[in-house]
Amino acid sequence: MDMVIKLLSLLALQLFQTTAGEIGTENAIIQLTKRMDSFEADNEKLSTENAELKERIKVLELLTSSQQDEIKRLVSLSEEQADSIKRLEELLQEDFSEQTVPSKRLTERTLQKARTISRIQRANNEVSVSFFATLINHIDNPGVHQVVAFENVITNIGNAYNEHAGDFRAPVSGVYVFSTTLMAGTSAHPFHFQIVRNGKAVSNIYIPSGGTASQEAVLHLSQGDDVAIHNLDAGNRVYGHGYTSFSGFLLQQDIAEVGLVGK
């Protein structure tokens, strides 16, 4: 910038000397002033454009950095998938290399490979689902077939349990395991509960007068099926303070819903 100013000053001096000799000192000064104003305006415009270019360069540098991070993430994911594919190819190659062994041994070996491949598929793609919730506040006089809503959620991997509605909704098809412990009733009357799937009872729970009972259920659910605990008797009391709980987890997802390795 200093060099530009020096050049402009030098040019202005030469113009002044030339013009002064031709049209007189006063007119030369006027013309020189106009040209200096024009030079300053051009210089200011160039400075503004330079600042804008610097800002654009900063934005481009930030975008480039973000794109480089995304490329690194994709490269890492690609390497992981390549390792899984390589392992599957090795298993299949071992299987082909044993074609000369007796058929019974070959069949057993093939089945073992298939199981290993299935485990790799599940490890890479199977959904994790589990929950555990307890009842904190007592429920007095619940209605017949009222859902017991366990409002204190301790674990809810997959967010399949709804503490407000009190039901679990299967995010994927598969085999699920459920367990409940209930403390309810009074010293005078026994009470009954049910484990209910899609509005239909799958298990009954009997609680003697003012006692506790537990129940487990192993159910195959389709995606979207719901499971909940229902009260069956009027005038009941379900005790909170953590004595009453409901839990469940996905034991095995249906293989048809598990995607291929690297998919």
Side-chain angles (χ1 to χ4, degrees):
M1 186 64 68
D2 291 339
M3 183 61 70
V4 173
I5 293 173
K6 288 179 180 179
L7 290 173
L8 290 175
S9 300
L10 220 70
L11 180 60
L13 180 59
Q14 291 176 353
L15 288 171
F16 176 74
Q17 291 173 346
T18 303
T19 307
E22 295 177 355
I23 62 174
T25 303
E26 184 176 353
N27 289 335
I29 291 173
I30 293 172
Q31 291 189 16
L32 180 60
T33 301
K34 290 180 179 180
R35 291 183 180 181
M36 286 296 294
D37 290 342
S38 177
F39 287 148
E40 289 177 356
D42 291 341
N43 184 51
E44 184 176 351
K45 182 179 178 181
L46 288 173
S47 298
T48 301
E49 291 176 351
N50 187 45
E52 291 176 352
L53 286 173
K54 287 181 178 180
E55 288 299 322
R56 291 178 183 176
I57 289 172
K58 288 181 181 179
V59 172
L60 289 173
E61 288 176 345
L62 289 174
L63 288 173
T64 301
S65 176
S66 175
Q67 290 172 347
Q68 288 176 346
D69 291 340
E70 180 64 15
I71 289 171
K72 289 179 181 178
R73 187 187 71 80
L74 292 174
V75 169
S76 176
L77 180 60
S78 177
E79 290 175 350
E80 292 177 2
Q81 292 176 344
D83 289 340
S84 295
I85 293 171
K86 182 178 179 182
R87 177 58 180 156
L88 289 174
E89 289 175 346
E90 290 174 351
L91 290 171
L92 292 173
Q93 185 62 38
E94 290 176 12
D95 188 39
F96 286 128
S97 65
E98 295 177 357
Q99 294 297 322
T100 57
V101 301
S103 59
K104 182 177 180 181
R105 181 182 173 187
L106 178 59
T107 301
E108 292 174 351
R109 189 70 173 173
T110 302
L111 289 174
Q112 183 179 355
K113 296 296 187 304
R115 296 189 192 101
T116 303
I117 291 172
S118 178
R119 284 196 296 270
I120 293 174
Q121 287 177 328
R122 289 182 182 280
N124 284 346
N125 299 282
E126 192 170 45
V127 176
S128 295
V129 182
S130 60
F131 76 96
F132 175 62
T134 64
L135 190 67
I136 295 299
N137 300 311
H138 301 321
I139 300 177
D140 289 313
N141 299 313
V144 177
H145 288 294
Q146 177 177 329
V147 175
V148 180
F150 302 81
E151 80 279 13
N152 181 38
V153 177
I154 298 172
T155 301
N156 197 11
I157 299 173
N159 295 316
Y161 176 74
N162 185 332
E163 68 270 25
H164 304 293
D167 67 340
F168 170 89
R169 194 171 296 275
V172 295
S173 299
V175 178
Y176 292 80
V177 179
F178 297 94
S179 178
T180 184
T181 297
L182 299 162
M183 184 176 184
T186 65
S187 58
H189 302 285
F191 288 91
H192 305 81
F193 295 82
Q194 287 179 334
I195 297 177
V196 177
R197 174 179 58 189
N198 296 335
K200 295 183 179 180
V202 296
S203 178
N204 294 309
I205 304 169
Y206 173 81
I207 300 180
S209 304
T212 300
S214 296
Q215 183 72 275
E216 288 186 349
V218 180
L219 303 175
H220 181 272
L221 302 180
S222 297
Q223 184 178 16
D225 285 354
D226 66 273
V227 176
I229 308 300
H230 286 208
N231 170 67
L232 294 185
D233 301 301
N236 192 3
R237 164 176 258 207
V238 184
Y239 292 93
H241 298 313
Y243 291 105
T244 297
S245 64
F246 184 34
S247 63
F249 62 91
L250 173 62
L251 178 64
Q252 180 174 307
Q253 184 178 347
D254 283 355
I255 188 64
E257 292 196 359
V258 178
L260 294 176
V261 174
K263 183 175 180 179

